[in-house]
Amino acid sequence: MKILFLNGPNLNLLGDREQLIYGAKTLADIEELVHKEAAGLGIETEFRQTNYEGELVDWIQQGAESHDAIVLNAAAYTHTSIAIRDAIAAILAPVIEVHISNVYAREGFRHKSMVSPVCSGVIAGFGAASYLLGLRAAVAVLNSAK
Amino acid sequence: MKILFLNGPNLNLLGDREQLIYGAKTLADIEELVHKEAAGLGIETEFRQTNYEGELVDWIQQGAESHDAIVLNAAAYTHTSIAIRDAIAAILAPVIEVHISNVYAREGFRHKSMVSPVCSGVIAGFGAASYLLGLRAAVAVLNSAK
Amino acid sequence: MKILFLNGPNLNLLGDREQLIYGAKTLADIEELVHKEAAGLGIETEFRQTNYEGELVDWIQQGAESHDAIVLNAAAYTHTSIAIRDAIAAILAPVIEVHISNVYAREGFRHKSMVSPVCSGVIAGFGAASYLLGLRAAVAVLNSAK
Amino acid sequence: MKILFLNGPNLNLLGDREQLIYGAKTLADIEELVHKEAAGLGIETEFRQTNYEGELVDWIQQGAESHDAIVLNAAAYTHTSIAIRDAIAAILAPVIEVHISNVYAREGFRHKSMVSPVCSGVIAGFGAASYLLGLRAAVAVLNSAK
Amino acid sequence: MKILFLNGPNLNLLGDREQLIYGAKTLADIEELVHKEAAGLGIETEFRQTNYEGELVDWIQQGAESHDAIVLNAAAYTHTSIAIRDAIAAILAPVIEVHISNVYAREGFRHKSMVSPVCSGVIAGFGAASYLLGLRAAVAVLNSAK
Amino acid sequence: MKILFLNGPNLNLLGDREQLIYGAKTLADIEELVHKEAAGLGIETEFRQTNYEGELVDWIQQGAESHDAIVLNAAAYTHTSIAIRDAIAAILAPVIEVHISNVYAREGFRHKSMVSPVCSGVIAGFGAASYLLGLRAAVAVLNSAK
Amino acid sequence: MKILFLNGPNLNLLGDREQLIYGAKTLADIEELVHKEAAGLGIETEFRQTNYEGELVDWIQQGAESHDAIVLNAAAYTHTSIAIRDAIAAILAPVIEVHISNVYAREGFRHKSMVSPVCSGVIAGFGAASYLLGLRAAVAVLNSAK
Amino acid sequence: MKILFLNGPNLNLLGDREQLIYGAKTLADIEELVHKEAAGLGIETEFRQTNYEGELVDWIQQGAESHDAIVLNAAAYTHTSIAIRDAIAAILAPVIEVHISNVYAREGFRHKSMVSPVCSGVIAGFGAASYLLGLRAAVAVLNSAK
Amino acid sequence: MKILFLNGPNLNLLGDREQLIYGAKTLADIEELVHKEAAGLGIETEFRQTNYEGELVDWIQQGAESHDAIVLNAAAYTHTSIAIRDAIAAILAPVIEVHISNVYAREGFRHKSMVSPVCSGVIAGFGAASYLLGLRAAVAVLNSAK
Amino acid sequence: MKILFLNGPNLNLLGDREQLIYGAKTLADIEELVHKEAAGLGIETEFRQTNYEGELVDWIQQGAESHDAIVLNAAAYTHTSIAIRDAIAAILAPVIEVHISNVYAREGFRHKSMVSPVCSGVIAGFGAASYLLGLRAAVAVLNSAK
Amino acid sequence: MKILFLNGPNLNLLGDREQLIYGAKTLADIEELVHKEAAGLGIETEFRQTNYEGELVDWIQQGAESHDAIVLNAAAYTHTSIAIRDAIAAILAPVIEVHISNVYAREGFRHKSMVSPVCSGVIAGFGAASYLLGLRAAVAVLNSAK
Amino acid sequence: MKILFLNGPNLNLLGDREQLIYGAKTLADIEELVHKEAAGLGIETEFRQTNYEGELVDWIQQGAESHDAIVLNAAAYTHTSIAIRDAIAAILAPVIEVHISNVYAREGFRHKSMVSPVCSGVIAGFGAASYLLGLRAAVAVLNSAK
């Protein structure tokens, strides 16, 4: 079982700035946490980050071929990107939407997600743990007849 | 560590009707799944269900005294209840919002949650697994300094 | 054939106050009218009234087991209750929505019904006669292949 | 007692197309059903259909002179016609609004009726039976002091 | 002269939590303050609190029989309850709407009150003193020809 | 303790016209009532009225220097004036918003107040008594640590 | 100088019903008043009325050939007809919009006119006198270089 | 018969600038035109102009005592002033709303008038002639039983 | 293969007025162009124009019997007519929506089409060529399994 | 004559997935169809596809130099991209907007196009044929004086 | 070169209160800063402040005669004043809009400026420096052919 | 002191097209102007332009390390990009938002800026001079304690 973790714009700054909102862990820290937990479950994981909407579309298309499921933190593009939504809708592999912060407790424009309706489900607000829960959610989706 | 699982209106019908949306497991099935997994983690769990908004408010107030965290599936009241929101805001114990279905992929009036902004985080769309993820999320929130 | 008539908040005040809007008949008067007409059609009827949203949800769930159809005047909850809507959607028995006054001729917030989309149909504006028409509508729905 | 049944655009296609929404009965079938039931009640009925908004206005004005009440299925014009609304408001004869389908369960633009606020009441969603209920509602309105 | 003070959801937590918003006085403290001031004016007062919307409807209906006026802090239900609004509109006794906090200075959903249009008037933002002003307002309304 | 009562546009017509909405008392009548009650409490009061938005801004700025609190009936400017709002926000003296009529029961454009969010609190709907309650509210605000 | 007066739906009922809104004069009465005043000014006038939107479009197109100006009371079609708007925009003859009642003081849907932006100007609220003012306005528009 | 013509902000610039919108006549030119036509009808007229909203309120209050009717071009304040609206509503003398340009053909914020609902009627778009029509409309309103 | 071209209100004025928007070709010119191109493709074409919404409904119903496809320029009715939409939805023959001007580049009320969702597709903005493209589109739709 | 066909995000997946919406032809299939038809008309065509909004902007700027016209299927970026709109507005070469599916019959967010107002025209809903119609439309635009 | 600096309501309080938002400099301090910098550029400057909307209109009209350009901080009136907008539109002298605070980062009602569309440009958020930048912007506008 | 000037989509076309809106200066012209003025102030400047949203995010992140402040003209992305907003919010270096045209005087979708709330301030409408003012604003922000 192979799961791809895709990260959108500014997540390369995690752990460095705005720790009150996003926590103190860097993306590399989170990758390691996920890698360790996944390994224990016999799952292979891969992490990527980009600031380009188009590259996220590329990766979702590719991930549908190379991996069993995608855990996606599209960050800022979550709220406006129809291109990412269409990519998710076009593939068969399940996509799990995750967010580090509780987006519903922030500015109004972060309450709406263009991708939620085409994802399997959503996990938001648990800091780095959102990724670990995303990993387990992906496993549950893949294992279930759901 | 003691965690209270509160369930809102019509969740007593789970597994019986509308299985396409809500899955085939009854609330009792889910309770057992959660109980087993929680036991393995050394956590005590309790499940309650009610069709009354006021009773959910009562239970949240009480749960803040008797339990360490609450996992809440407020069902229909999620989208309109300021009373439940105020109860959550008034207590110190963390509340995790869970949903069986992906509410963001359904009717527009289910996209807005009155309680999300005052919960620690949200998990939606993973069927019965949403409760298991909610359990783990509660543990993560309690364990973290977050 | 058994039909359950459920009445929401403040309908216990019928005939007593605001007669210009709601007419001079009490709920007991209407119950008797319906009972007589139903008896003539060989139908058993039962009337209940509550001011609690949760109790309406309870009764709709129970009525789906004990009766063939429900005639529902959810009164104020008509316009906001997702819980009642979900209860109706969850059961197989047909539900007929009735209103004493012409809700579409009153304040804007009474123009929208949360339950209409999941009911068989709607009857509004005919005073006590709305209940008698609701009775006949229920019979028509049960008799038709519709 | 004489009652006029007015039918708006495309109702001449009833029973022919889109039976899933509108049922299998033609407008002539419905006319016969209503005629029979009305005859039993000693009521004279007349049916008309037109695709022209202006003709509906003409007929409502005329019907106010020639008949005791009007049962109106304005179809598509229901949702936009201020001209029909003004005609109804200008006459003294009661007008009963009926719809074959449950308009509140369809596209959003069908939820709003321009004529409901000036009609006696509304009946929607019971197929051909909506007309029979409309007949009885008209009788109730005429008989009551309402 | 007898005045009934009705309190809605979560007001049983007053003085305990969120003191920055609601102040340090418990509901019992406020009851005592009101009782003392009312006694000086020769007025009998009664305090009740509930988390159930339906129970507030019950109490408003009953209060209209047993008391001369009602001072109502409907809390969270203020902003959404048509049932409470209908109960107030249905009775003849005047109802005074009070709030501890200045609801107009808080979240947008607290700016709208469903009950204000059917109350005699509104008092908001003066902490426990809102109840004392509510008492005097009730007296003024009862004394005036207004 | 000195309290300034500021009155906005058209309040000089009080008692003369539209008595159904505003009552039969003139502004001078109200001033006298307030003066008498204030004197009994050892408080000095001053009344001013203007039809100019700019003059209200002037007076609020001046009042912050010369008085301990302001009771403000900004009348029509209540609903649109950011200038008055900014003046209130700029000063330290508490401002109590009062209205003779229940503005929330009138036209929609009177439901929104630009000044409520920066006032201590709001009193509306009690006729001339709104000013007396405003006086007491000002005393309460000044006396409390609130 | 020849001026065409076009009248939309239900204006044939003028003077007969709803006199509180539309006054006691019939359309024939108004036609005579206008005819007399126009004759005094050496102007030829013609009056037409229809309940059909399409016929108003026909007449506007024709009137642009046969008359110097059009005074239009499109009644209900005022608020929704793009077809009438397009006809006015397509012709060179000036069109004066008139209304018997003050449409801006009535229901919200009467506040918006689809035709005002392409008419020379608007006159509303003066009863039968609106037509006389419309006549003089047409003369002014034709006489001015405006 | 005495009629007061009140002019709002920037109308002192008429004839000087933006002639494409407002025409080439100065306010003094218009005053003279109106004066001449009024004299022929045996009517006394007075013209005033101010850039202050408050002064318009003052003048409307005073005009109600000194004149039989008011012709009001509130210019920019038309669209936002509740103070002017309240002044008009408070007086018994009829107020005729006039505009030089066709406000409905300009920016969206000029389509809404706060004063139209409390004026007798509206005349807009006829340049200087709007004032002459306003004069005649005032006479019609004063002469009619309307 | 027979294709019916239906034209809505004011299209009879094409080539005569507003050439900047609609071009210099008359409807007869366009008919001839289409006729010639269709003849080359072995297709029979028929052109009709009306200013009546009801007549367009009639013709769509009839065209479904007499022709293989309809090319529809509903002009002004495009944006508001539910009656035309319902007629299109009720028939099986494909309908191609065409517009001479680029409606999306004009006033906001022309951006929304009530008929687009039930047409096969839309072609707008190419002047007379829109009809030729509509012809070819109709052929494509008829030829494809689509 | 040289025409550039630009394709936006996810169009590289055409023919592979979601065939119910987008048909069974791949983008290469469409390119070949267009190439063949264009060759017959003596036109040179070029196809490009990208998932990057920025690259579409680059290509539109370049295409304005290298080609006579652009046929653009901006896919998801159609609905939100001001950058693409600005690029089109900045160049002189005509741009034809095409869509495979009938976007107006899908989700609401696909009804609005940011680019339509600056394109020559729009073609939507004819599957692969939309590109062929786009080719002919481009020729028509280039050939006409329009 | 002469430049007039106009300041709206509450700016006379600058430097005294709410320094977190508006900084510690008084309006006199800013005037001196601007005067010094202007003098160095050979420009004459004048500062005025008023709390009256009407006075700002007066001054803009006068400034158009006496000065070459206006730098305007309309403060609260920025967001609602059509009168000030009309004054700016009516004059030929350029007007530069300035704000001390970043209005776009504050309450929603401060995001909209009624005057921006008729000003040359906008400068906001740089504290006292906004005025110095406004001075230079005015010079740039006057010097450019723009 | 080093300041980075970042330019968004289509700004590479400056001076070439749409000179009425954007002026005749190329981006290179502006760069030279800024470079010269900055040199005079002892400031080092760097100019970059891209059509990619993601590249702007990259550059903002990098600029926060390499420069003291950023002057940003995000062009089309200004109005929709949450990614750019998040990048600005994440860094400590001040960002000055500039626009060549007065965006508030153009289409409605250009009135809203996603980045303004997280920038120090905004300068718009002064053509090439906006960049020079942006340079001075950056200096002011860096020099002040603001």
Side-chain angles (χ1 to χ4, degrees), chain G residues 49-129:
Chain G
Q49 190 273 335
T50 178
N51 291 331
Y52 291 69
E53 182 180 10
E55 197 157 36
L56 280 174
V57 173
D58 285 349
W59 288 348
I60 290 167
Q61 292 185 0
Q62 297 162 9
E65 305 299 326
S66 59
H67 290 75
D68 297 295
I70 297 174
V71 175
L72 172 69
N73 182 347
Y77 294 134
T78 299
H79 315 295
T80 57
S81 180
I82 303 175
I84 295 176
R85 176 197 184 109
D86 284 357
I88 298 172
I91 65 172
L92 295 180
V95 179
I96 316 299
E97 178 183 354
V98 299
H99 298 286
I100 288 176
S101 67
N102 181 349
V103 286
Y104 312 108
R106 299 175 63 196
E107 304 98 324
F109 61 80
R110 294 193 209 271
H111 296 190
K112 176 175 184 55
S113 164
M114 284 307 292
V115 301
S116 294
V118 291
C119 286
S120 301
V122 181
I123 295 166
F126 304 105

Side-chain angles (χ1 to χ4, degrees), chain L residues 58-115:
Chain L
D58 285 349
W59 287 349
I60 291 167
Q61 292 185 358
Q62 297 161 9
E65 306 299 326
S66 59
H67 290 75
D68 296 295
I70 297 175
V71 175
L72 172 69
N73 183 347
Y77 294 133
T78 299
H79 314 296
T80 57
S81 178
I82 304 174
I84 295 175
R85 177 196 183 108
D86 284 357
I88 298 171
I91 65 173
L92 296 180
V95 179
I96 315 298
E97 179 183 353
V98 299
H99 298 286
I100 287 176
S101 67
N102 180 349
V103 287
Y104 311 109
R106 299 175 65 195
E107 305 98 319
F109 63 78
R110 292 192 210 271
H111 296 190
K112 177 175 183 57
S113 163
M114 283 308 291
V115 301

Side-chain angles (χ1 to χ4, degrees), chain C residues 37 96 100 102 104-105 111-112 116-127 129 133-134 136-138 140-141 146, chain D residues 37 96 100 102 104-105 111-112 116-127 129 133-134 136-138 140-141 146:
Chain C
E37 183 139 333
I96 315 299
I100 287 176
N102 180 350
Y104 311 108
H111 296 191
K112 178 178 182 53
S116 294
V118 292
C119 286
S120 301
V122 181
I123 295 166
F126 305 105
L133 294 165
R136 286 183 180 274
V141 171
K146 205 199 153 196
Chain D
E37 182 139 334
I96 315 297
I100 288 176
N102 180 350
Y104 312 108
H111 295 191
K112 176 176 183 55
S116 294
V118 292
C119 286
S120 301
V122 182
I123 295 166
F126 304 104
L133 294 166
R136 287 183 179 274
V141 171
K146 203 198 159 209

Side-chain angles (χ1 to χ4, degrees), chain E residues 37 96-97 100 102 104-105 111-113 116-127 129 132-134 136-138 140-141 146, chain F residues 37 96-97 100-102 104-105 111-112 116-127 129 132-134 136-138 140-141 146:
Chain E
E37 183 138 334
I96 315 298
E97 178 183 354
I100 288 177
N102 181 349
Y104 311 109
H111 296 190
K112 178 177 181 54
S113 163
S116 294
V118 292
C119 287
S120 301
V122 180
I123 295 166
F126 305 104
L132 297 173
L133 294 166
R136 286 184 179 273
V141 171
K146 204 200 158 208
Chain F
E37 182 139 335
I96 315 297
E97 179 183 354
I100 287 176
S101 67
N102 180 349
Y104 311 108
H111 296 190
K112 176 175 182 57
S116 294
V118 292
C119 287
S120 301
V122 181
I123 294 166
F126 304 104
L132 297 172
L133 294 166
R136 285 183 181 274
V141 171
K146 203 196 162 214

Side-chain angles (χ1 to χ4, degrees), chain K residues 37 96 102 104-105 116-117 119-127 129 133 136-137 140-141 146, chain L residues 37 96 102 104-105 116-117 119-127 129 133 136-137 140-141 146:
Chain K
E37 183 139 333
I96 315 297
N102 181 349
Y104 311 109
S116 294
C119 287
S120 301
V122 181
I123 295 166
F126 304 104
L133 294 166
R136 287 184 178 273
V141 171
K146 205 199 159 208
Chain L
E37 182 139 335
I96 315 298
N102 180 349
Y104 311 109
S116 294
C119 286
S120 301
V122 181
I123 295 166
F126 305 105
L133 294 165
R136 286 184 181 273
V141 171
K146 203 199 163 211

